[in-house]
Structures are given as structure tokens and as C-alpha cells.
Amino acid sequence: MGNKFDYSCEKCQHVINLDSDAVGSTMQCPQCGNAFVVTPPQASAGKKIGKLVLILGLALVVIAGIVVAAMFMLSSAREDARWENCKSKFENIGSAMMMYAYDNKGYAPAGQGKDNLDLLIKGGYFGSSVANVTDEERKKCLQCPSDKTLPSYAYVGEGLRMGKDNPGLPVVVEFPENHGNLVCVITVGTEEKFEAIKPTLSFVNIPEDCKTILQVVEYVLQQNGVKCECSGSSKCGRCKVLENAKKY
């Protein structure tokens, strides 16, 4: 015995309960006598629509997943490009700082914040000298592509001597959260054999709770093992850097 199904007579619409084994045979409607060939039962329109909706729903889920994955990959690729651009700018700042120090008895620029880094632009250490520094010039030299702050880098090296002070002292520090927990840092650095002025560029993974320039500077000093060396009224490089960082 096969499965039972209801068959509706095409002439009188009388419903006949048939066995699936009868499919393909010729029968007569017991009510009107109409002869018909038994055909397989068809799925109802409701079931067909339900299956179609399910298929369409699954297709939309798959497409949405593909779109999200593509957007994530595109966003990641853009951030990688911004990160490379930021690193390049930081390298240029390090080179400009080194040339400035060579021309000024080893000292980093005197001043604080944006005006301080402007001295590098005015002096032509990024290329040709500029009399009046505009925001356009600052964006070109001092803005991270992932940040709208101008400048995107904090100068904390006022009063330091490049190649002479503790090489672990930070001079320029990137504002946190430009690239997640990764920040660019320029330290005083040195090439001991020749006692040359050579700033060091490094990339530091900071803890989640480092949200300010002061916190980043404190973490860098700790990681580099820089301790206070103040003597009498003379302020050490570590204390100078911390004092500068508090202004941000």
C-alpha cells in the first residue's frame, strides 16, 4: 500500500481519497462518472510560496554575509594603507628632528605643541622652507590619515638633546586610538659608537587604559626603563618629558 492522498475530480470537484499506487491508472469519478488519469499530487500553492520564501531568505543571508565580509576587507585594506602613510610621516618627522638638532647644538625644538613642530616646517626640514605655516602644510606633514586632529602627533621633547640624553626618552608621540592600541613613537635615540644624532622610530602596543598622551608617555618610559635622574635644581629628561606631556 502506498501513501494516501486526496484527488479532486476536474468535472464535479468531488474529492476522492486515492492510494499513491493508483498514479498513472485510469479511473472514474464515483459521483459523475468522469474518467480521468490519476496524476501525482501537486504541492499546494502555499507550500510552494513557503519554500520560495525560505530559499530567498537563505539567499539574502548569504549575500549579506558576502557584503559584510567584503566591506570588512575593504575597511581593513584602507586602514593598512593609512597606517603605512602614518609610518612614512613619522619617519619624515624623525629625519626632520635629526636635521634640526644638527643645526641647533643637538637640541630638539624649543616651544610646545603645534608651534614647536611648525619650526621643522618653517626651517625647511621637510623640504623647502615656509615663512607662514598653513593648516595645509601641517596636514601634509603632521596629520595621521586615520585622525582628524591637527597635528595628530604630540611633541613632548622640549629641552632634550638628541643623541645625548637617555635614548629611551620619547620626543614625538602619536595620539592614542588612531590605530587601535598601536602608536608611533620617536625617542631621542643615539648611535653610541659615533655619538651621532639619530632618533629612533618605534611602534608600541599600549594597554587599553592608555587614553591620554601622559599615559602613553608614562608607559613608554616604563617600557624603556627610564628612571628619574634629577639632581638638585637640575631637572632630568624624564621629568621634562612628563611635564611636557601634561600640557596635552
Side-chain angles (χ1 to χ4, degrees):
M1 294 288 291
N3 295 324
K4 295 289 186 177
F5 66 94
D6 290 333
Y7 189 92
S8 179
C9 175
E10 295 177 0
K11 186 174 182 180
C12 67
Q13 305 303 315
H14 177 67
V15 177
I16 311 164
N17 187 252
L18 300 175
D19 192 279
S20 59
D21 292 339
V23 173
S25 60
T26 302
M27 299 186 68
Q28 275 189 323
C29 174
Q31 181 161 308
C32 67
N34 177 53
F36 60 89
V37 176
V38 180
T39 57
Q42 300 294 317
S44 68
K47 289 182 179 179
K48 285 183 179 180
I49 293 173
K51 287 182 179 180
L52 181 61
V53 170
L54 177 62
I55 292 170
L56 287 174
L58 290 173
L60 288 173
V61 169
V62 171
I63 292 171
I66 293 172
V67 170
V68 170
M71 289 177 66
F72 175 79
M73 291 175 65
L74 181 60
S75 176
S76 178
R78 285 176 175 171
E79 175 54 26
D80 287 344
R82 288 192 290 263
W83 170 244
E84 290 300 322
N85 188 304
C86 182
K87 285 196 297 182
S88 177
K89 287 189 176 184
F90 237 71
E91 289 170 357
N92 292 338
I93 293 172
S95 298
M97 195 72 67
M98 178 179 68
M99 290 185 288
Y100 181 95
Y102 269 121
D103 292 343
N104 292 274
K105 298 180 181 181
Y107 283 99
Q112 182 60 35
K114 182 175 68 175
D115 293 337
N116 201 338
L117 294 178
D118 277 0
L119 293 177
L120 299 178
I121 301 175
K122 286 181 179 179
Y125 296 105
F126 287 105
S128 57
S129 59
V130 179
N132 297 310
V133 181
T134 64
D135 279 349
E136 195 59 39
E137 289 289 337
R138 294 187 186 103
K139 287 179 182 179
K140 191 187 304 180
C141 304
L142 308 173
Q143 187 174 48
C144 168
S146 295
D147 183 34
K148 294 182 179 180
T149 307
L150 187 63
S152 303
Y153 315 117
Y155 176 78
V156 295
E158 180 189 2
L160 299 184
R161 290 193 72 187
M162 310 295 287
K164 296 291 184 181
D165 283 329
N166 190 313
L169 290 168
V171 181
V172 182
V173 179
E174 183 176 15
F175 283 99
E177 300 181 353
N178 285 358
H179 307 285
N181 293 332
L182 193 63
V183 298
C184 296
V185 178
I186 294 174
T187 53
V188 168
T190 185
E191 192 173 348
E192 295 179 3
K193 183 177 179 181
F194 303 103
E195 294 187 354
I197 299 169
K198 188 177 181 181
T200 301
L201 173 65
S202 58
F203 311 105
V204 181
N205 273 302
I206 58 174
E208 291 284 347
D209 58 355
C210 280
K211 301 297 184 183
T212 66
I213 289 297
L214 178 59
Q215 290 172 329
V216 174
V217 167
E218 289 175 332
Y219 181 77
V220 171
L221 290 170
Q222 180 185 358
Q223 293 298 302
N224 292 345
V226 181
K227 298 180 180 179
C228 179
E229 298 176 348
C230 290
S231 58
S233 60
S234 178
K235 190 179 296 183
C236 71
R238 181 181 185 277
C239 291
K240 289 177 184 176
V241 165
L242 289 173
E243 188 176 277
N244 294 335
K246 289 177 183 177
K247 298 175 182 178
Y248 285 91

